[in-house]
Amino acid sequence: MKKKIKFIKIAIDSPAAAGAGTIAKSISKHYNLLYLDTGKIYRMLAYIKIYQKRNFNKSFLKWKIRNLNLKNLQHKNLLSDDVSVEASSIAKDKNIRKLVNSFQINCAYNPPKKFNGSCLDGRDITYKIIPDADFKFFITANLKIRAKRRFQELKKLKKKVTYLKVLKSIKKRDKSDYNRRISPLKKTKDSILINTSNLSKRACFLKIKKIIDREINS
Ligand code: C5P
C-alpha cells in the first residue's frame, strides 16, 4: 500500500551550473515541497554589495533577510557573472553565513502548511542546514558541460558573455567553494551522487524520483 507522504526534507549540494536548480524545482513541484535556491540569497547580498554599496552593512542585510520574499529572488539581475563571482566571495564570510543560515533553516523545517516538506539546494545543505534530511543528493557534471549550460542560459537572457569567460568564472568559483575554510562544498558520505553530464533533465528527474518513491512507498 502507498504510504501518504508526511513531511520530507530534501538536501542537495552541487557545484555551480550542475543542473541542481532545475532538478530541485521539478522534484519540489512533484512532491509539493517548498523549494529554496539558497545560492540566490548569497547572490542578492552580492548584488547589494556591488550596486548598492551604501546598504551593505549588517543591520540593513539583517532587515533584508528578515523581510525576504522568495519571489524577489527570481530577478534575472541576480544571474549575471559579476554577481556570481561576488556571491562566491562573500559566501566565505562567517558573519554573512550566519545571517543567511537561520533563514534557510527556517524554510527547511517550517515551510508554510500547504507544503509536504522542503527541498533546498546549495553548497552546505546536506551537512550544515539540514543534516537530518530524509534525502541527500550531490549533483555534479563535468566542468565544460556546466560552463556550456550556464553560457547558453545567459545568452538566452541576452547577457553579454563569452563561453570562455563563463568557463573561467565557474572554475574560479569551484576553487573557492571547494577550498574555503567555512562550509566548503563537499559530498557527504550519506549523499547520493548524481552526475548529470550525460543525462537529460527528464532523466535526472526520473532518477531522483525513483530513489524517493522507493523509500516513501516501502
Ligand atoms: O548556487 P549559486 O551558483 O547561485 O551560488 C552562488 C554562490 O553562493 C556559490 O558560488 C557559493 O559560493 C555561494 N553559496 C554558498 N552556500 C550555499 C549556496 C551558495 O556558499 N548554500
Side-chain angles (χ1 to χ4, degrees):
M1 196 178 72
K2 244 188 177 184
K3 260 193 205 163
K4 189 173 164 4
I5 302 178
K6 277 203 177 129
F7 186 90
I8 57 173
K9 299 186 294 302
I10 302 179
I12 302 175
D13 284 323
S14 79
T22 310
I23 300 172
K25 249 184 248 164
S26 54
I27 287 289
S28 300
K29 194 165 170 210
H30 182 79
Y31 294 101
N32 186 34
L33 309 174
L34 172 73
Y35 168 57
L36 179 65
D37 172 352
T38 64
K40 287 278 173 58
I41 306 176
Y42 293 96
R43 284 171 181 270
M44 178 187 78
L45 303 184
Y47 187 88
I48 295 172
K49 183 165 182 200
I50 302 173
Y51 297 104
Q52 301 165 7
K53 188 108 187 126
R54 267 188 318 142
N55 286 335
F56 195 76
N57 58 68
K58 195 173 171 189
S59 59
F60 180 79
L61 299 184
K62 222 173 168 176
W63 175 85
K64 188 83 188 164
I65 291 171
R66 198 173 300 138
N67 294 288
L68 186 58
N69 179 338
L70 295 189
K71 282 197 183 117
N72 296 344
L73 296 177
Q74 286 166 11
H75 205 286
K76 69 177 189 177
N77 283 345
L78 299 184
L79 297 176
S80 68
D81 209 47
D82 52 347
V83 172
S84 308
V85 174
E86 186 59 53
S88 183
S89 165
I90 61 167
K92 289 190 247 179
D93 184 320
K94 119 169 159 270
N95 295 319
I96 293 276
R97 298 200 78 84
K98 251 194 209 157
L99 284 180
V100 174
N101 283 358
S102 51
F103 179 83
Q104 296 175 355
I105 291 169
N106 193 40
C107 285
Y109 290 86
N110 303 301
K113 292 270 177 290
K114 63 178 179 179
F115 292 109
N116 294 328
S118 57
C119 173
L120 275 66
D121 69 21
R123 304 293 188 280
D124 57 349
I125 309 301
T126 53
Y127 68 96
K128 180 99 191 196
I129 307 298
I130 328 181
D132 65 342
D134 304 281
F135 300 95
K136 296 185 181 184
F137 298 99
F138 187 86
I139 297 181
T140 190
N142 90 38
L143 175 68
K144 285 187 179 160
I145 289 182
R146 288 190 282 130
K148 200 170 138 206
R149 287 179 186 159
R150 181 51 51 89
F151 172 64
Q152 281 163 351
E153 246 171 59
L154 293 171
K155 284 299 258 190
K156 254 194 216 156
L157 293 171
K158 309 253 181 287
K159 301 271 181 203
K160 274 194 193 152
V161 276
T162 62
Y163 167 75
L164 274 181
K165 191 166 177 234
V166 175
L167 179 72
K168 233 173 126 179
S169 104
I170 289 187
K171 241 185 186 169
K172 186 172 172 187
R173 279 207 288 149
D174 275 2
K175 194 170 168 205
S176 165
D177 291 351
Y178 276 111
N179 297 308
R180 68 185 178 211
R181 209 169 47 80
I182 303 168
S183 299
L185 171 63
K186 62 182 174 194
K187 182 199 164 297
T188 58
K189 275 194 192 140
D190 57 355
S191 294
I192 298 170
L193 177 72
I194 310 276
N195 188 323
T196 70
S197 301
N198 299 306
L199 289 179
S200 67
K201 288 177 193 169
R202 180 80 188 148
C204 291
F205 167 77
L206 291 175
K207 197 169 177 158
I208 291 186
K209 179 180 172 302
K210 197 171 164 190
I211 294 168
I212 297 175
D213 284 348
R214 198 170 48 213
E215 189 68 29
I216 60 182
N217 294 331
S218 67

